[in-house]
Amino acid sequence: MTADIAVSHVSRSFGAHKVLDDVSLTVAPGELLALLGPSGSGKTTLLRLIAGLDQPDSGRITIGDIDASSRKPKERGVGFVFQHYALFRHMSVFENIAFPLRVRKAGKTEIRARVVELLRLIQLEALAKRYPSQLSGGQRQRVALARALASQPRVLLLDEPFGALDAVVRRDLRRWLHHLHREMNITTIFVTHDQEEAFELADRVVIMQQGRISQQGTPMDIYRQPANIFVHEFLGESNRIACHVVDLKVRADAGYFLGQTDGADGAATAFVRPHQIAVRPSASGPWRVAQIASSGTHARLTLAWQETRLESGMTADALLAAGLAVGTPVDIAFTGGAVFREGGAPSALQNQPEEKSVSDIGRTQLSVL
């Protein structure tokens, strides 16, 4: 199958700073792809190069079967939506959406039919005569999307499309955009630094770091099998634990037992997410609940043993059922995680129910709770 977008060995520098370094990427027809990464990782620069708003220092960009590297933005068949909408303040909603069609000198009948269709699609038919200043942020973003779709582009590019909106509106617009994409089946790339946004919307996620692609794959594959420490830490909170592996057994340098893993003996770093630490009240447990922070539906527990602190998470209902409170002695179990050795591929941290922690911290029974 021919890729709708192909980026081949593209690099871009601004002065001495290399923003993109030999990036290659393909996007399949109808795919919804997220470029995810921290600020300065090259996401927006890559999007602008695809749109033709900037030019690469080297490499090639094709859209469909056309070499787009030397084409002007309007010749690429691309719709671009900026984070801050960029709507024309002096134009009504109708005229903003009609603008690209008027530039193409489309006929009045075609313009009206297309704008009416798009107003229905974005569910703003009743607001056609309003001006941007009379709309909410979410409504303005929908108008910006409709304007980008007016000329029926081959691909749609979105730069932090929900970044300027509050959390509730972002959530609602994500759901709306997902529905819109299913209905239109247009090849789409969107830039974000929000993991939740990328994982909820995208068919495939590309994680960028310092101008390079660190990992790409389905959201589930990336979350379960991060390729390196950067990806693991970027995709949510983790307990970072210095450890060592001996005969496949993993022990923290602080002394407690973590589990079992594959691979060679030696120093390593384990990453365990809060939900991968199970907690059970135990009168003789060596750990204590040092702090509890609740977000309403979920709770975050800080677990303490001597100078060691670990973060665990559970639902508020599970916390209540377990009878946990600050000061409660507990046993803990590591139910998953990843083990990284320097220069090597990560391996899974596996739970060993029959194992106990080292004797100098008591009898932490490692059982799946």
Side-chain angles (χ1 to χ4, degrees), residues 8-13 18-23 49 55-59:
S8 303
H9 303 289
V10 164
S11 295
R12 182 70 171 104
S13 296
K18 181 161 279 191
V19 180
L20 292 174
D21 186 6
D22 194 30
V23 171
L49 293 177
Q55 296 298 318
D57 298 325
S58 59

Side-chain angles (χ1 to χ4, degrees), residues 35 54 104 107 113 134 151 156 185 193 201 205 240 259 266 275 308:
L35 297 178
D54 192 13
R104 288 174 46 203
Q134 298 172 306
S151 56
L156 180 63
N185 197 36
H193 62 269
L201 281 174
V205 176
R240 182 171 182 151
H275 73 269
T308 300

Side-chain angles (χ1 to χ4, degrees), residues 88-101:
F88 298 114
R89 297 180 182 178
H90 64 288
M91 290 185 183
S92 67
V93 168
F94 187 100
E95 289 301 324
N96 263 284
I97 298 173
F99 180 79
L101 298 170

Side-chain angles (χ1 to χ4, degrees), residues 21-26 31 33-38 41 43 46 190 192 195 198-199 202-236 273 338 340 344-347:
D21 186 6
D22 194 30
V23 171
S24 293
L25 175 68
T26 59
E31 186 174 21
L33 181 134
L35 297 178
L36 176 65
S41 58
K43 310 181 300 295
L46 178 55
F190 71 98
T192 183
Q195 174 205 334
F199 278 31
D203 301 315
R204 184 160 53 102
V205 176
V206 175
I207 298 181
M208 299 191 67
Q209 178 194 20
Q210 296 180 342
R212 287 180 170 269
I213 293 175
S214 283
Q215 188 174 358
Q216 57 181 299
T218 67
M220 189 63 71
D221 287 346
I222 289 178
Y223 188 79
R224 288 183 172 177
Q225 298 178 310
N228 52 52
I229 288 176
F230 166 78
V231 173
H232 199 291
E233 290 191 310
F234 185 73
L235 295 182
R273 300 198 185 279
F340 290 85
S347 57

